[in-house]
Amino acid sequence: MLTACDSEEGNGTGGEVLPPVEISKMKTENNKVFVEVDGVPFPIYGAQIRLDAFLNCDKMSMNEVEKYFEKGKALGVNCLEVGVTWNMIEPKEDAFDFSIVDKILEYANRYGVRIELLWFSSNFIGDSFSYFVPAYILQNLNNRLYRNDDGSFWNYYGYQYALILNDKWVLERETNAITRLFNHIRGWDAGHGEKHPVITAQIHNEPDGLVRWRMDQKQFAYRNGAPLTKEAAWKMTLDALDALGKAVKNSSYKVVTRTNLIRGNGTEPYPEAPNAKPSDVLALDGIDFVSFDPYLSNIDDLAKEVSAYALLPGNYPLVAENKGTYPNTPGLMLVTSALGGGYDIYDLATSSFFIANTNAPDEIDHGVYTSGLEDKPHTEAVRTILKGLVMAAPDIARTPAEDFIAFNVEENNPLQLAEQQIQSTGVTVRFSTNNGSIGFVLDRQNYLLLYVTGDAMLQFGNGTFQEAVTGKYNEQGVFEQDGTASLDDSHSLHASGGVLYKINYTSAGKLQSTTKAYIGKTM
């Protein structure tokens, strides 16, 4: 277990609270929903660092954890998902210590990546673990449910309990902690260049797991012996999500809030709990969007789930967790992007303790890197697609699916030899590769943005096309040119892998988009 000293020196720990700032918010443009950070469209491309495991199980110091931030930057993500536990910042009642949080913020600024802060606390897939929740909370029996394995030990997460999530006192304490956390981030950021490292807050972790999994696995009841119904369990789940999300929004450091749900159709009630559905979470004032953890490597299956969550009005369909071990991760990321979503890899590198303490090490190792932070066979391919997605990020966020052309993602794995002709609403593009390249063209109506992972030939039609330039978008959302390229007389471009191209053009007329027909086999 981690211990921490008392460190109450303002900035949300009982002292001065600075005026509020809004770091991120939800935006809709041409029916496309996205996250905007510091006024710039920001599609999320991240990987998770299991800080709780490294500190609690692997017994690392925060200095040792720094290398994970460095490797995240080297992979090319624009953000990292980092879990902050309630017990980490408030080990004793009203004794707050943000020293670990300060290190997270320091490393984020040092390596130029943003942070999706994951609030690991009272509902972690239906459990309230002693590694996540302060002992003074768990020791109060009046605020706990009974379960048949109450107090059993899991070496990943500590002793297992179940809190009454919407108990008045529990909610007061948890909202107090998360408010102080974000007020502290505001104060730290003000003193360190106002780079706004934290951009989202995930409230709880797979909170629907309580009604979908845990209640069917364990015997839950109130202390007086009355059974806990799934209706009551779902209500307290929603009450807690709403209250904690509002606490973030009412803090001095305002970011968009979300939670991550277990895989399943994003529009329908859950078969395990027909009274519950994802739209119930999205309807909460405290939650801005619902992300999901599909754990799918099949392009067709993932495309269906992304599309389902995109159908929820006002939702940004973020894949919050998908195994980093999938060899076809580049294609999965491209397909998710084409359908309007973001993509977080779970995880950057799996805890050595997790791997050593399981009967199925291949199943628990989800890292895109090895546990020793070495490349796996597909890591370089992930790095290459991330490069293009991040360089083109503002336009990716704003481009609707009918104008997002994705190449060579009909199969689960890209074809070595491929030729396709796909049209957006304004342009036709013939793509050909002999090296298994994947890539995209974004039709922005008066210009195209193009990226391929390996050298490829692209021929453009249905318009007048100017010379191509190369470059990327900077942090302010401005395209910075760094070179030029030539189209031949047939409007063809020999595109080099790893280069972002921009081509100004004028369309000859409106076309019927065929972009979705080339994503998997069933879109």
Side-chain angles (χ1 to χ4, degrees):
M1 291 286 293
L2 291 173
T3 59
C5 59
D6 190 353
S7 176
E8 295 197 70
E9 296 183 357
N11 298 328
T13 61
E16 178 186 4
V17 177
L18 297 177
V21 293
E22 184 178 54
I23 309 302
S24 56
K25 60 184 177 181
M26 304 301 297
K27 294 280 287 185
T28 302
E29 184 178 305
N30 296 325
N31 295 319
K32 181 77 182 292
V33 180
F34 55 89
V35 175
E36 185 179 85
V37 177
D38 289 333
V40 179
F42 192 96
I44 292 172
Y45 297 113
Q48 188 168 155
I49 295 176
R50 281 302 300 268
L51 182 62
D52 62 300
F54 297 142
L55 297 183
N56 287 321
C57 302
D58 294 288
K59 304 302 181 184
M60 291 184 185
S61 68
M62 279 304 292
N63 288 338
E64 291 175 295
V65 169
E66 180 179 357
K67 60 191 175 186
Y68 292 88
F69 288 78
E70 183 178 10
K71 293 297 283 191
K73 177 65 174 180
L75 187 66
V77 298
N78 60 11
C79 60
L80 288 165
E81 297 177 283
V82 183
V84 172
T85 72
W86 183 0
N87 196 38
M88 184 187 294
I89 66 169
E90 191 192 8
K92 297 180 181 179
E93 186 170 3
D94 288 324
F96 287 89
D97 182 354
F98 295 103
S99 56
I100 292 174
V101 174
D102 291 350
K103 280 293 186 182
I104 295 170
L105 302 175
E106 175 188 333
Y107 296 155
N109 281 1
R110 180 173 299 166
Y111 294 104
V113 293
R114 307 284 191 147
I115 298 296
E116 292 183 86
L117 190 148
L118 314 180
W119 179 243
F120 288 172
S121 57
S122 58
N123 188 352
F124 191 90
I125 325 179
D127 296 314
S128 303
F129 288 111
S130 64
Y131 283 5
F132 296 166
V133 180
Y136 83 90
I137 298 289
L138 295 173
Q139 288 166 355
N140 193 333
L141 288 179
N142 293 329
N143 306 306
R144 278 187 9 217
L145 294 159
Y146 167 81
R147 50 188 281 175
N148 61 349
D149 64 344
D150 206 35
S152 59
F153 185 75
W154 187 353
N155 58 359
Y156 286 9
Y157 305 122
Y159 295 98
Q160 302 175 79
Y161 303 98
L163 286 167
I164 301 173
L165 300 171
N166 60 354
D167 173 85
K168 181 180 179 182
W169 180 74
V170 171
L171 267 185
E172 284 177 352
R173 298 310 306 170
E174 192 169 357
T175 55
N176 175 63
I178 201 169
T179 299
R180 286 175 178 244
L181 169 61
F182 278 85
N183 286 347
H184 175 81
I185 292 170
R186 169 73 173 104
W188 189 96
D189 187 42
H192 294 81
E194 296 195 276
K195 296 182 179 180
H196 303 161
V198 177
I199 61 166
T200 72
Q202 177 184 292
I203 308 301
H204 291 164
N205 183 68
E206 296 184 350
D208 53 325
L210 176 60
V211 296
R212 298 181 64 189
W213 288 358
R214 285 294 179 264
M215 291 184 69
D216 292 332
Q217 297 168 337
K218 316 293 181 182
Q219 297 171 10
F220 282 77
Y222 294 100
R223 288 287 159 175
N224 63 7
L228 176 70
T229 66
K230 286 194 175 183
E231 289 75 15
W234 187 236
K235 181 181 185 304
M236 74 175 186
T237 298
L238 295 175
D239 287 346
L241 290 171
D242 197 31
L244 295 170
K246 287 178 179 176
V248 173
K249 293 178 175 298
N250 291 330
S251 75
S252 61
Y253 190 93
K254 302 177 185 298
V255 296
V256 295
T257 57
R258 64 173 177 88
T259 196
N260 59 324
L261 303 176
I262 298 166
R263 62 171 294 186
N265 191 308
T267 59
E268 300 297 325
Y270 298 126
E272 310 94 335
N275 64 299
K277 55 187 181 301
S279 59
D280 297 339
V281 181
L282 189 59
L284 300 173
D285 292 336
I287 301 296
D288 290 312
F289 67 98
V290 288
S291 55
F292 53 103
D293 300 350
Y295 289 92
L296 293 170
S297 62
N298 181 278
I299 279 180
D300 283 331
D301 293 341
L302 183 65
K304 289 174 185 175
E305 194 151 344
V306 173
S307 298
Y309 276 92
L311 286 175
L312 292 172
N315 195 47
Y316 175 57
L318 170 67
V319 173
E321 293 181 18
N322 215 30
K323 286 185 185 181
T325 48
Y326 295 142
N328 65 336
T329 293
L332 298 172
M333 297 188 82
L334 179 56
V335 164
T336 299
S337 302
L339 296 173
Y343 196 104
D344 284 321
I345 296 167
Y346 183 87
D347 52 2
L348 188 72
T350 301
S351 156
S352 296
F353 183 93
F354 279 13
I355 294 172
N357 288 271
T358 179
N359 293 324
D362 290 341
E363 285 298 310
I364 202 68
D365 181 3
H366 297 337
V368 67
Y369 289 114
T370 69
S371 61
L373 289 173
E374 299 295 329
D375 278 11
K376 291 183 176 179
H378 67 296
T379 307
E380 181 58 31
V382 174
R383 194 176 286 120
T384 303
I385 192 63
L386 272 168
K387 179 182 179 182
L389 295 173
V390 172
M391 286 198 300
D395 276 349
I396 283 177
R398 294 177 293 203
T399 302
E402 60 267 24
D403 285 322
F404 194 125
I405 300 174
F407 299 115
N408 207 4
V409 289
E410 286 188 279
E411 305 288 342
N412 279 335
N413 297 291
L415 298 176
Q416 194 71 13
L417 296 174
E419 184 169 327
Q420 297 173 313
Q421 181 165 313
I422 309 174
Q423 60 191 43
S424 63
T425 60
V427 66
T428 62
V429 185
R430 181 179 293 277
F431 164 87
S432 60
T433 181
N434 60 7
N435 56 37
S437 174
I438 64 174
F440 59 84
V441 166
L442 309 179
D443 181 0
R444 301 296 299 153
Q445 306 306 309
N446 57 3
Y447 65 89
L448 307 173
L449 218 58
L450 156 68
Y451 181 86
V452 288
T453 59
D455 294 356
M457 174 70 76
L458 293 102
Q459 184 179 32
F460 305 96
N462 196 54
T464 302
F465 303 89
Q466 300 179 17
E467 292 297 283
V469 299
T470 61
K472 65 178 181 179
Y473 279 100
N474 62 23
E475 291 184 356
Q476 291 73 44
V478 177
F479 186 86
E480 295 181 337
Q481 179 180 338
D482 61 14
T484 60
S486 297
L487 275 67
D488 64 21
D489 292 340
S490 63
H491 307 307
S492 296
L493 174 70
H494 292 268
S496 297
V499 177
L500 184 68
Y501 297 86
K502 183 178 181 181
I503 304 171
N504 291 326
Y505 92 106
T506 302
S507 176
K510 187 81 169 179
L511 297 172
Q512 182 67 43
S513 173
T514 61
T515 55
K516 289 186 177 181
Y518 289 87
I519 293 175
K521 295 294 187 184
T522 61
M523 290 300 293

